[in-house]
Every structure is written in C-alpha cells, then in structure tokens.
Amino acid sequence: MLHVAVVGSGPSGCYTAQSLVQQDPDVVVDVLDRLPCPYGLVRYGVAPDHEKIKSLQNNLRTVLEHERVRFLGGVQVGPAGVPTTRLRELYHAVVYCVGAATDRHLGIPGEDLPGSWSATEFVSWYSAHPDAIDDGFVLGARSAVVIGVGNVAVDVTRMLARGTAELSPTDMPQAALTALASSRVTDISMVGRRGPSQARFTTKELRELGTLPDTEVRVDPQELAIDPAYADPSALPAPQRRNVEALRVWAEAPALDVGHRIALRFFLRPVELLADAGHVGAVRFERTAPDGRGGVTGTGQYEDIEAQLVLRSVGYRGIPLEGLPFDPATGTVPHLAGRVLREGLVAQGEYVAGWIKRGPTGVIGTNRPCAKETVTSLLEDASALVRRELPEDPLTALRGEGIDPVEWQGWCAIERAEAELGASLGRGVVKLPDWESLMNAAHSNEAATSP
C-alpha cells in the first residue's frame, strides 16, 4: 500500500485525498490539519449567511469518511510540531495543501493604527476561528471603510449591514452575533482603486447587497463614467458586463431613508490612514484615472472618508513552511505539475496543491483540477515511492512522539457540542470559538467511550 500524507483539510486537501483513493485502490491517505476541525476555508472563510456554499462541507465529509482516508486534526507541521523531514520518513509521499495564510499589506502610513484590520481577521472573528482576535471590531464605530472590491470585501460589507434577524439562524459564534447586533455602524464605503469593469467581485455576490433589509446601496454615476467600458459594456466579458449593469441600476436609483448606507466607490487609491485620538478616524484616498493600459495613475486630487473601522481586503499571500522551498516573489512553492522543486530538481515524494501551488486565485472548484494534476504526478511516481519501507503506522509513531491527533470521532464530538450549544441559545448549530472549548469537546468523546 502507498501511504500518503495530505497536509491541510480544506477543499484542495480533500480533493487531493479524493482523487488519490478514486484513482488507485492501493493508496491510503492521512489528512493532517493544524486545527481540530476539517474543511479549511469552507468552515472558516465562507460567510455564515452563505449556507449553500457552506453545504459543500457535506461533499468534503464523504471524502474524509472514506475507508482509506483518515483525518488527523490538531497536528502542527513545521515549527513546534512535526518537521517536514519527519513526515517524509513516516509516509511514502506528502502533499502540502496549506493555502495562503497571510494578507497582503497596503504599505501606507497609518495602516497599523487601532481600528485598522485585515478583512481576514474580521472574517476569522465572525467565523469562530480559534486563532481569531476578539478586540471590539465594531465597538464605537459609526462609519466603516472596506478597501478592496473582491468577494471577500463584499462579504465583510454585507456582515456589517446584516441585522440580528438574518444572522441569528447562522452558525456565527454568539459573541460575534451579540457585537454585530449592537453595532452602531450605519455608513459603509467599499472602495476600489480601479473602475467598475475591473472589479473582482461576482455579480451574484454584488447583487446580494441590494437585497439587505433597511439598506441602501449608492453608486456615484460620475465615478462610473470615468471607466471607458461603462458607457458601452458590450465588449466586456459576461461577468464584468453584468457587474456594470448592476451598478448602473443603483447609480440611477433615488435616495432612500434607511438604517444602513453602502457606498460603492471607484478610482480611489488609499494613501494614508489618518489618526483621531490614537485611533483610525479616516482614510485618505487619491483620485485615480485610467492610464490606457489597464491600470490607473494618480491625479493629485485627494479625498478623506471618515472611518472608525477599516477592513483591508487586498488579497492573500502564501508564507514559507519550514523545510520546503519557497518563492517569495509569487508566495508559492516551486513545482513541476505539483512535484516540489528544490534548486530546480524534483524532490522525490514531495508535492503541492491548492493556493500554495498556484497562488491565491480561482474559486473553490478550481482546486479540483489543480489537485487532479498533482495526484496524476504522484501516481506516476508511485512505483518508485512505494519501494521504501515505512517504519510503522504513522499514527502510532506520532502518538509515540507525544502528539495526540483529533481523529474523526473527535471531530464528530465537536459537531455534537456545537449543536448542543446552539440549542441552549435557542439557535441552530453555533460554532465553538476557541481552542479550549474545541479540544474539550473533541476529548469528551474519549471520556465517553473509555471504560
């Protein structure tokens, strides 16, 4: 049997495991994750009100419940955990599906002021990631600025405008629900440095903003008109054309008297976050204009937008994993069709899939063909890889080294605890928000089954 470790249980990791067991009946897979919970960004990145997308967990679940797949949560790979060299000893092959774990920075003065956060930090908080910081994101804020015009920017904008009635049925942790329910944020600006025809959000996500109760979406027709493609979007690809059409409807709509106002702004580049009593108080933008080459250039005109909360949503970036080569220019591991390259040469038995392989691009489904390419490479190498004799069952070895993975039964115990918590609060499933409660729940299964 070929023993493969897949590091990461998000979509790329699960699709890798699925492809392995489907294509070769002589493969067994251990899916390792730093967290005690599987599913990666499907659990901790998809907005809680996007239940249809979150239901993808059911598909990933069938992969992790396969008889030749074993989930091992709570296993850190790298520093303070299992070294990559040790993983190579324990398995015939290792596939790293570790995603892109950090945010890009704006690189402007005031970016680190209190009240300025990456969108990922905000998402982690309302998604109950156990590493999340609960530091009063919306406390005392009246106005918020979201920098970026991708789907994550739309998500955090929508969460700021959602009411308790819409958020209570979700699995949002109770503390986040309580904080957002008492939020005084009424004005939200989502700002992009380029034009509407170049925005990265999808039309479906964009139009959701217009369905929010007691909320008005505003678009400045003069900002739209700066975009050469706005007047005649017929030459645009269909997704961008639909975006422009949706924005045109809002630009022509009359003003409303509502509780929340969302302003979609374009051709504004952040140049500085301005302080007010040691806290962010506004964002200074420079007006931009198309440069004729698909980019923008500064005009020397500036505008300050009030904000006691700034959420920066300008993309993700991969970070090095100790023991693996890394290209800092792309934020990825060098590879050839998924095979890790060390100084230009294929490293036997080491592979990558997902964002750490191709960069933070595409949607969840993009991970499927990406994983398939890597698995094809791995199985082509299998006859050579399987010749190496493994010392013992990897799980036995890990336990012998003081590592106590959360197995599938432990994750099921976490699910039961979250259902019980929700019932006690008069809600549906409610996520456990911290390491202690997750681990206590996982190990309660052991206590229940011990003699």
Side-chain angles (χ1 to χ4, degrees):
M1 297 289 281
L2 181 72
H3 289 252
V4 180
V6 172
V7 182
S9 66
S12 64
C14 286
Y15 291 146
T16 297
Q18 182 180 47
S19 192
L20 280 165
V21 295
Q22 283 180 345
Q23 294 189 47
D24 192 330
D26 293 322
V27 174
V28 291
V29 182
D30 282 351
V31 178
L32 282 61
D33 202 291
R34 182 177 71 87
L35 299 176
C37 309
Y39 312 135
L41 282 179
V42 178
R43 176 174 167 89
Y44 288 120
V46 174
D49 61 339
H50 276 180
E51 293 182 9
K52 186 173 181 180
I53 303 174
K54 289 174 73 69
S55 69
L56 179 63
Q57 292 183 24
N58 297 328
N59 301 68
L60 303 183
R61 183 184 197 93
T62 62
V63 177
L64 296 175
E65 288 182 331
H66 191 281
E67 61 183 0
R68 286 184 283 120
V69 176
R70 184 166 57 179
F71 174 70
L72 302 178
V75 179
Q76 172 81 40
V77 174
V82 184
T84 55
T85 51
R86 181 60 176 145
L87 271 189
R88 283 289 295 114
E89 293 170 359
L90 294 174
Y91 295 91
H92 292 120
V94 182
V95 187
Y96 295 94
C97 305
V98 292
T102 191
D103 294 89
R104 294 184 182 276
H105 291 276
L106 296 171
I108 61 175
E111 185 170 8
D112 296 325
L113 279 169
S116 167
W117 304 90
S118 73
T120 301
E121 290 172 309
F122 187 60
V123 170
S124 293
W125 169 67
Y126 68 59
S127 298
H129 194 292
D131 292 337
I133 303 165
D134 183 2
D135 204 13
F137 288 93
V138 296
L139 190 64
R142 303 177 305 278
S143 301
V145 165
V146 179
I147 300 173
V149 284
N151 278 347
V152 174
V154 176
D155 279 348
V156 298
T157 297
R158 196 177 64 254
M159 286 298 104
L160 287 170
R162 277 264 189 234
T164 310
E166 300 105 67
L167 293 177
S168 184
T170 73
D171 62 5
M172 178 179 284
Q174 188 66 25
L177 176 65
T178 302
L180 289 172
S182 60
S183 167
R184 294 169 55 206
V185 173
T186 55
D187 292 272
I188 309 155
S189 299
M190 189 171 75
V191 188
R193 62 185 177 88
R194 298 194 291 176
S197 69
Q198 297 164 314
R200 302 295 296 273
F201 43 61
T202 57
T203 312
K204 184 173 184 287
E205 291 258 355
L206 177 65
R207 285 177 174 157
E208 275 189 90
L209 296 178
T211 66
L212 297 173
D214 196 31
T215 301
E216 176 188 31
V217 181
R218 293 177 177 174
V219 187
D220 185 342
Q222 292 182 321
E223 288 182 350
L224 299 183
I226 300 172
D227 190 331
Y230 177 68
D232 181 13
S234 59
L236 290 172
Q240 284 75 31
R241 186 175 68 250
R242 288 192 292 266
N243 284 344
V244 169
E245 290 166 353
L247 292 167
R248 180 177 278 115
V249 170
W250 288 325
E252 296 169 353
L256 301 173
D257 182 15
V258 293
H260 292 97
R261 287 166 295 278
I262 297 173
L264 305 183
R265 306 292 307 273
F266 298 96
F267 292 110
L268 292 171
R269 176 168 60 197
V271 294
E272 185 178 0
L273 270 60
L274 306 176
D276 180 8
H279 191 278
V280 67
V283 184
R284 177 160 294 165
F285 292 93
E286 181 183 17
R287 169 68 62 189
T288 63
D291 64 4
R293 300 185 301 276
V296 292
T297 184
T299 64
Q301 298 176 317
Y302 297 89
E303 176 182 347
D304 295 349
I305 300 179
E306 179 189 348
Q308 297 80 37
L309 170 64
V310 175
L311 298 174
R312 313 179 306 271
S313 181
V314 291
Y316 298 98
R317 181 173 176 78
I319 57 175
L321 181 62
E322 188 175 297
L324 280 184
F326 187 75
D327 181 353
T330 60
T332 60
V333 172
H335 70 94
L336 178 64
R339 297 179 177 94
V340 172
L341 294 175
R342 293 183 180 272
E343 299 179 357
L345 300 175
V346 169
Q348 189 180 42
E350 294 182 304
Y351 304 85
V352 284
W355 280 0
I356 201 63
K357 170 186 173 184
R358 68 180 191 274
T361 59
V363 294
I364 290 173
T366 312
N367 290 292
R368 195 183 288 276
C370 173
K372 190 172 182 180
E373 179 191 53
T374 296
V375 168
T376 299
S377 295
L378 192 159
L379 293 180
E380 287 173 358
D381 304 338
S383 59
L385 297 171
V386 79
R387 290 184 197 134
R388 183 169 60 88
E389 216 172 293
L390 300 181
E392 56 185 320
D393 174 49
L395 179 55
T396 304
L398 290 172
R399 284 179 173 152
E401 294 166 21
I403 296 166
D404 184 19
V406 174
E407 296 185 70
W408 191 250
Q409 295 85 353
W411 159 241
C412 292
I414 291 173
E415 288 185 305
R416 288 194 297 273
E418 292 184 336
E420 290 166 4
L421 174 60
S424 72
L425 296 167
R427 297 173 58 195
V429 170
V430 173
K431 286 182 183 170
L432 298 172
D434 58 82
W435 278 99
E436 183 179 6
S437 57
L438 287 168
M439 297 308 289
N440 285 344
H443 292 310
S444 70
N445 178 70
E446 296 173 5
T449 56
S450 60

